[in-house]
Amino acid sequence: MVSHKFQFKQFTIFQDRCGMKVGTDGVILGTWTDVKSVDNILDIGTGSGLIALILAQRSPAKIDAVEIDRDAYIQASENIANSPWRSRLKIHHNSIQQYADFCDIQYDLIISNPPFFANAYKPNNHQIALAKHSDSLSQLDILQVTTKLLKPTGKLAIIYPTAAAINFQDIAPTFGLYCDRQLLIKPTATHSVKRIIMELSKHQKPCQTHTLIIEKYRHIYSDEFIALIRDFYLKY
């Protein structure tokens, strides 16, 4: 059973009204992404507000978080309001397409842990379907929005399963975006790569590739993973 509350060292995530619960994907994306010299951030599909809050702890940047689902928006608003960084975070109840239509800001960093199931069986729970299926937020949607809202010197950070990540890197250059840095994520050393985090920019250069193994063996985290989550997870 998934807990309705996830306690981090400096903030709490309540998630009983969210389709997307706290998970390793969001935590790694938020802790690995480069936030040096970043003044403003856009979090696409914030869900419970997890990634926005991780980035607020790591950076003094101002953060806009966008969420299409009303219940998740309300819960993220509460999580943000109860955090130490509420004055720097603003949440918007819109689709990212709607937000891009009226937004006149360009961002140093755009980040997203997007839904990635396409053409797959959907659960009866509409909220979970919205959070996990890409009908309302496709790769093309993300790239189109990024083209408009990313500064010329900005970065897009995003996570996908391996096949979807390869596809994303294949089509991103069509929108003038190129992968500068990527993290290949493996559950254990003997598993294949399950997720890829990519940082993309508008400037083409060789892509730096790193690998993260989450567990040395069952329930024992690797030193590299602990280094990422040490400032956030209570037991480290």
Side-chain angles (χ1 to χ4, degrees):
M1 182 177 178
V2 177
S3 172
H4 290 326
K5 182 175 81 169
F6 198 105
Q7 183 67 53
F8 291 91
K9 285 183 177 178
Q10 296 189 40
F11 61 92
T12 303
I13 294 290
F14 289 91
Q15 54 183 359
D16 54 294
R17 301 173 69 179
C18 298
M20 184 67 73
K21 309 304 183 185
V22 171
T24 306
D25 287 2
V27 171
I28 298 176
L29 177 62
T31 55
W32 182 81
T33 296
D34 184 7
V35 292
K36 293 190 298 291
S37 303
V38 169
D39 294 323
N40 62 357
I41 298 169
L42 174 63
D43 178 16
I44 298 176
T46 195
S48 64
L50 170 67
I51 292 172
L53 287 165
I54 289 175
L55 295 180
Q57 181 177 326
R58 295 184 60 218
S59 162
K62 293 182 178 180
I63 301 172
D64 286 309
V66 178
E67 176 54 50
I68 190 173
D69 179 74
R70 180 166 178 78
D71 284 341
Y73 159 77
I74 292 170
Q75 186 142 70
S77 298
E78 293 168 352
N79 289 334
I80 287 169
N82 291 326
S83 78
W85 313 288
R86 54 188 171 274
S87 63
R88 293 193 283 112
L89 285 87
K90 185 175 182 181
I91 185 162
H92 307 266
H93 180 217
N94 296 102
S95 71
I96 191 58
Q97 298 90 336
Q98 292 170 331
Y99 181 78
D101 283 342
F102 65 77
C103 179
D104 58 2
I105 301 170
Q106 286 196 312
Y107 293 91
D108 295 304
L109 173 64
I110 297 175
I111 192 166
S112 185
N113 177 13
F116 52 76
F117 290 115
N119 303 316
Y121 171 77
K122 292 186 179 66
N124 290 329
N125 186 310
H126 171 73
Q127 198 174 38
I128 294 174
L130 191 63
K132 296 187 176 182
H133 290 258
S134 61
D135 298 30
S136 62
L137 187 60
S138 69
Q139 292 190 346
L140 291 178
D141 290 331
I142 292 170
L143 289 165
Q144 287 167 350
V145 167
T146 299
T147 300
K148 179 181 179 183
L149 299 184
L150 191 67
K151 287 181 181 177
T153 56
K155 295 173 294 186
L156 167 66
I158 195 162
I159 184 169
Y160 277 115
T162 304
I166 292 169
N167 184 71
F168 193 80
Q169 289 194 38
D170 286 343
I171 62 177
T174 308
F175 293 83
L177 290 166
Y178 307 91
C179 187
D180 296 335
R181 194 167 75 110
Q182 63 178 349
L183 183 68
L184 312 181
I185 302 171
K186 302 172 68 173
T188 69
T190 58
H191 280 83
S192 59
V193 174
K194 299 298 184 184
R195 298 284 190 271
I196 299 178
I197 298 177
M198 298 160 281
E199 282 186 355
L200 302 97
S201 75
K202 296 182 178 182
H203 303 282
Q204 189 171 11
K205 54 188 175 183
C207 181
Q208 300 177 16
T209 299
H210 307 275
T211 300
L212 173 68
I213 296 168
I214 296 175
E215 293 184 338
K216 295 178 183 178
Y217 41 93
R218 187 163 178 79
H219 302 312
I220 303 297
Y221 289 141
S222 70
D223 294 342
E224 293 81 4
F225 182 73
I226 291 172
L228 283 177
I229 54 89
R230 181 177 287 118
D231 291 339
F232 297 91
Y233 280 22
L234 289 176
K235 65 180 291 186
Y236 295 99

